[in-house]
Amino acid sequence: MSIKKIQDEIIDEFSMFDDWMQRYEYIIDLGKNLPLIQEEFKTDDNIIKGCQSKVWLKGEQNEDKIVFTADSDAILTKGIIAILIRVFSNQTATDILNANMAFIDEIGLKEHLSPTRANGLVSMIKNIKMYALAFDAKK
């Protein structure tokens, strides 16, 4: 499925909720279903700098796609990285690099996060794009 289609699904899912408390609960639920990073990858090299919580992200190339796994020590942050992994995992480096990130504003995520969590969100996206750049450069 394309990045745009996945983003549209997420926008539709978030539109079902009337208030932000319901959306926070949904984000937390998404985090509970996150395919976890293997313990051996929970290293300083895989920690996303700029996040208030600890967030580990690992990207591996599988043929022409990048597969991401992640974990966090905070339930809300785990849900946020789960959303990003849903969008970007199993996509090509080129598609990740060219992805429009407007869906984050459309679901209202950034504006409903604390400034430190919003910075963490930006750092998560940056790390995902850095993986894509690195894998794209290997072509």
Side-chain angles (χ1 to χ4, degrees):
M1 192 181 305
S2 74
I3 288 175
K4 175 78 173 110
K5 277 194 163 111
I6 297 167
Q7 291 173 340
D8 289 344
E9 274 185 1
I10 293 169
I11 291 166
D12 287 346
E13 289 165 14
F14 273 77
S15 71
M16 292 187 295
F17 301 107
D18 296 328
D19 64 39
W20 261 93
M21 285 314 295
Q22 292 174 323
R23 290 178 183 183
Y24 285 133
E25 287 173 22
Y26 182 62
I27 292 169
I28 290 166
D29 284 343
L30 291 174
K32 290 176 183 172
N33 297 318
L34 177 68
L36 295 183
I37 194 169
Q38 293 175 5
E39 284 298 317
E40 67 191 80
F41 297 124
K42 283 189 174 182
T43 63
D44 287 346
D45 289 343
N46 293 326
I47 284 185
I48 297 177
K49 313 242 181 312
C51 286
Q52 178 181 352
S53 313
K54 283 189 176 175
V55 181
W56 297 271
L57 176 71
K58 176 79 173 141
E60 295 182 307
Q61 201 158 14
N62 184 357
E63 295 178 19
D64 66 332
K65 310 269 183 179
I66 302 173
V67 178
F68 292 101
T69 54
D71 196 5
S72 176
D73 62 354
I75 56 172
L76 185 62
T77 309
K78 195 179 224 176
I80 293 168
I81 194 69
I83 291 170
L84 295 176
I85 283 180
R86 179 172 159 194
V87 171
F88 295 113
S89 196
N90 292 304
Q91 301 293 335
T92 66
T94 304
D95 288 345
I96 293 169
L97 292 170
N98 294 328
N100 182 328
M101 299 306 296
F103 86 101
I104 290 171
D105 293 329
E106 288 186 49
I107 63 174
L109 183 58
K110 207 167 176 185
E111 69 187 77
H112 286 91
L113 295 175
S114 67
T116 51
R117 283 235 160 82
N119 287 341
L121 172 62
V122 170
S123 295
M124 290 178 207
I125 294 166
K126 191 170 105 184
N127 274 42
I128 288 169
K129 296 230 177 196
M130 291 302 287
Y131 269 108
L133 266 176
F135 289 130
D136 194 50
K138 287 182 182 178
K139 283 186 192 173

